[in-house]
């Protein structure tokens, strides 16, 4: 799996957009970008995923650069409950290792009043 | 609502005893479930892949005789920590992947194990 690089921590004011970057310069053509988050002492929660097109759902938007070497997760209006560790994971959608996720250290996002 | 149910959420046991953790897929049948472990201030580490009706596949460095996995049905996988010791104290999390959802994982709430 391609390795990802994320800043260890970020701050965001409540109500503002939180933009979390992720570098994945060795991503392969069949690998998707997944974002999960983990609120303290809970299991991770799926947020969004994409291959090459930008994606949006009720939780967030995912912007993937044209060369696919980096992406940005956008929480449009951050709330205090969005404080969590955010993981960017690059993974093939199928294949012999289907389902296995490799978690890095992620980005600790702190949303403050 | 929750897709994955994990039980118990918190367990304290004496050193040398065994602890069983259950992971249930509530909304769909899961031929494959995953078990992760997370130590304080660290990221999740995959321990093993649980396959319904067959032996689990363990990651390198994980003792299969110590962490017994049983996936007897399409909705239930169990992880038994045998002869637990204080160093086994950790946060254990299971997950399931729904076929056709492009590898989206649904995680349980986790089990906090404290071995005294």
């Amino acid at each position: 799996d391609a390795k990802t690089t994320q800043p260890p921590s970020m701050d965001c004011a409540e109500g503002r957009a939180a933009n979390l970057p992720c570098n994945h310069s060795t991503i392969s053509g069949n690998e998707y970008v997944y974002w999960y988050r983990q609120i303290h002492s809970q299991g991770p929660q799926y947020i969004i995923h994409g291959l090459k097109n930008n994606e949006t759902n009720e939780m967030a938007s995912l912007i993937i650069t044209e060369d696919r070497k980096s992406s940005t997760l956008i929480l449009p209006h951050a709330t205090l409950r969005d404080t969590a560790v955010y993981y960017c994971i690059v993974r093939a959608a199928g294949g012999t290792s289907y389902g296995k996720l490799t978690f890095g250290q992620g980005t600790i996002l702190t949303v403050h009043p | 609502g929750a897709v994955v149910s994990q039980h118990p959420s918190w367990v304290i046991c004496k050193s040398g005893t065994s602890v069983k953790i259950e992971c249930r897929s509530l909304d769909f049948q899961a031929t494959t479930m995953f078990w992760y472990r997370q130590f304080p201030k660290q990221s999740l580490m995959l321990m093993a892949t649980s396959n319904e009706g067959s032996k689990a596949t363990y990651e390198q460095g994980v003792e299969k005789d110590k962490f017994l996995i049983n996936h007897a049905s399409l909705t239930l996988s169990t992880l038994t920590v045998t002869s637990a010791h204080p160093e086994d104290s950790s946060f254990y999390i299971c997950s399931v992947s729904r076929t056709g959802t492009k590898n989206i994982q649904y995680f349980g709430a986790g089990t906090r194990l404290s071995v005294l």
Side-chain angles (χ1 to χ4, degrees):
Chain A
D1 299 333
K3 183 178 178 179
T4 62
T5 303
Q6 299 177 251
S9 64
M10 294 184 66
D11 288 336
C12 178
E14 188 177 20
R16 305 296 293 269
N19 299 291
L20 292 88
C22 180
N23 286 321
H24 32 78
S25 59
T26 60
I27 191 170
S28 300
N30 66 338
E31 290 181 317
Y32 286 69
V33 180
Y34 298 84
W35 283 85
Y36 287 80
R37 73 179 182 183
Q38 185 178 25
I39 296 171
H40 183 63
S41 296
Q42 297 182 25
Q45 176 189 23
Y46 165 79
I47 302 173
I48 199 168
H49 75 283
L51 182 62
K52 53 184 178 181
N53 297 322
N54 297 337
E55 302 288 344
T56 296
N57 62 20
E58 65 278 5
M59 290 183 67
S61 294
L62 174 61
I63 308 299
I64 303 174
T65 58
E66 191 170 344
D67 62 8
R68 302 209 322 123
K69 293 184 177 182
S70 66
S71 61
T72 301
L73 178 74
I74 301 172
L75 307 179
H77 305 286
T79 70
L80 299 179
R81 289 180 294 179
D82 292 321
T83 293
V85 181
Y86 287 77
Y87 297 100
C88 168
I89 301 170
V90 173
R91 194 72 184 87
T96 56
S97 300
Y98 177 83
K100 295 175 64 172
L101 294 178
T102 301
F103 286 81
Q105 295 304 308
T107 296
I108 301 172
L109 174 68
T110 302
V111 181
H112 50 85
Chain B
V3 175
V4 180
S5 173
Q6 192 171 336
H7 178 81
S9 58
W10 186 38
V11 57
I12 301 174
C13 71
K14 293 182 178 180
S15 184
T17 61
S18 295
V19 174
K20 179 183 285 187
I21 303 170
E22 292 187 347
C23 180
R24 293 183 183 275
S25 177
L26 300 179
D27 287 356
F28 54 88
Q29 295 180 332
T31 55
T32 304
M33 295 184 180
F34 305 91
W35 288 96
Y36 295 81
R37 180 169 55 182
Q38 185 176 31
F39 291 107
K41 299 186 183 296
Q42 295 187 23
S43 190
L44 284 80
M45 294 294 295
L46 179 67
M47 298 176 66
T49 302
S50 170
N51 303 298
E52 188 268 337
S54 64
K55 292 182 179 180
T57 303
Y58 291 82
E59 296 299 303
Q60 190 173 11
V62 178
E63 300 175 56
K64 62 180 181 180
D65 294 331
K66 181 168 185 63
F67 299 100
L68 301 179
I69 292 174
N70 183 280
H71 195 153
S73 77
L74 288 171
T75 59
L76 175 64
S77 176
T78 60
L79 169 69
T80 301
V81 183
T82 63
S83 186
H85 292 286
E87 57 266 30
D88 298 321
S89 298
S90 187
F91 193 50
Y92 292 87
I93 312 167
C94 70
S95 73
V96 302
S97 181
R98 190 169 195 167
T99 304
T101 61
K102 289 288 192 292
N103 216 3
I104 296 173
Q105 298 268 306
Y106 299 92
F107 288 82
T111 297
R112 178 79 54 193
L113 171 63
S114 296
V115 184
L116 304 178

